[in-house]
Amino acid sequence: MTLITCIPAGYALAMSEFKGRKFILIMTLVAMITPSQAIILPIFLEMSLLGLTNTYGGLILASSFFPFGVYLAYIYYATSLPKSVVESARIDGCGHFQCFVHMALPLAKPLVALVAFFSFVNNWNNYFLAFILISDDSKQNLPVGLTTLISSSGALNPQSAANNLPVGQPEAIQAAILVVLPIILVFLFSQKYVRSGLNAGAEKG
């Protein structure tokens, strides 16, 4: 969902001139620098109005908003895709959607990998939003569940040792590995495109 929304939005902001474009860019920057604590209450109220609290659908919908991905796509297309190329395709009869699908998207593999990686890391490590939206213990994501596990471990939390809970240090370490392992695998899979995306624009020409 993040890729479906961020990549086309960044392309449209970079390649099109329309009323309100600068305002959208400014609001995207504002959303990037706004602390998550400041927007968690509006998000919770919206999900509650839609009846999506304590559901995976509500958590996925709220997590798919990724303004950094929109701005990253905007910067990439504004610096790496000349408007003259798009105009040539338009003269040849391509519409906006065809230009994006057949030309802009295939040229943006580093961008797609970069946005996918950052979005995955951001959502995978999302603790605060999941903690607020999910109240059922059986639906907690891994960061929230890991915190619960560590807090109940007598080996890591002396206060819970008196409760004689069976959870110990090996279980907590194994759970931490399970949380970190997917991020490592995703990075190893996409490191070629991530590195090229990070270096894009570093040299002229």
Side-chain angles (χ1 to χ4, degrees):
M1 290 180 65
T2 300
L3 291 175
I4 291 173
T5 55
C6 289
I7 306 300
Y11 172 79
L13 290 172
M15 295 291 111
S16 303
E17 294 289 342
F18 55 90
K19 188 176 181 179
R21 174 176 171 271
K22 291 185 178 180
F23 176 75
I24 295 176
L25 286 172
I26 293 174
M27 294 307 298
T28 302
L29 288 173
V30 171
M32 286 173 53
I33 64 177
T34 302
S36 58
Q37 294 84 352
I39 62 174
I40 191 64
L41 180 58
I43 290 177
F44 178 80
L45 293 177
E46 290 176 1
M47 294 300 107
S48 178
L49 184 64
L50 296 174
L52 295 177
T53 56
N54 198 32
T55 63
Y56 290 130
L59 182 59
I60 293 172
L61 183 62
S63 301
S64 62
F65 177 67
F66 194 50
F68 176 70
V70 176
Y71 197 73
L72 191 63
Y74 163 74
I75 293 295
Y76 182 88
Y77 281 121
T79 57
S80 302
L81 183 63
K83 288 187 177 181
S84 58
V85 177
V86 179
E87 292 173 356
S88 299
R90 293 281 295 163
I91 293 175
D92 291 336
C94 287
H96 290 293
F97 183 75
Q98 290 176 321
C99 287
F100 173 73
V101 172
H102 298 294
M103 185 179 61
L105 191 58
L107 295 175
K109 291 181 179 179
L111 170 66
V112 173
L114 201 62
V115 174
F117 175 74
F118 282 125
S119 175
F120 176 79
V121 173
N122 180 70
N123 292 328
W124 186 262
N125 294 328
N126 198 329
Y127 175 87
F128 193 56
L129 185 61
F131 181 76
I132 296 297
L133 291 180
I134 303 296
S135 57
D136 191 350
D137 292 341
S138 63
K139 296 181 179 179
Q140 289 178 347
N141 66 347
L142 283 177
V144 179
L146 179 61
T147 303
T148 304
L149 180 66
I150 292 176
S151 63
S152 63
S153 173
L156 300 178
N157 188 3
Q159 295 180 354
S160 64
N163 299 329
N164 296 321
L165 295 176
V167 180
Q169 188 173 7
E171 289 82 0
I173 293 176
Q174 291 173 4
I177 293 174
L178 288 177
V179 173
V180 175
L181 186 60
I183 298 177
I184 297 176
L185 295 177
V186 171
F187 177 76
L188 292 176
F189 179 76
S190 60
Q191 62 174 330
K192 175 183 177 181
Y193 298 107
V194 169
R195 285 185 298 178
S196 60
L198 288 173
N199 292 331
E203 297 180 356
K204 186 176 181 180

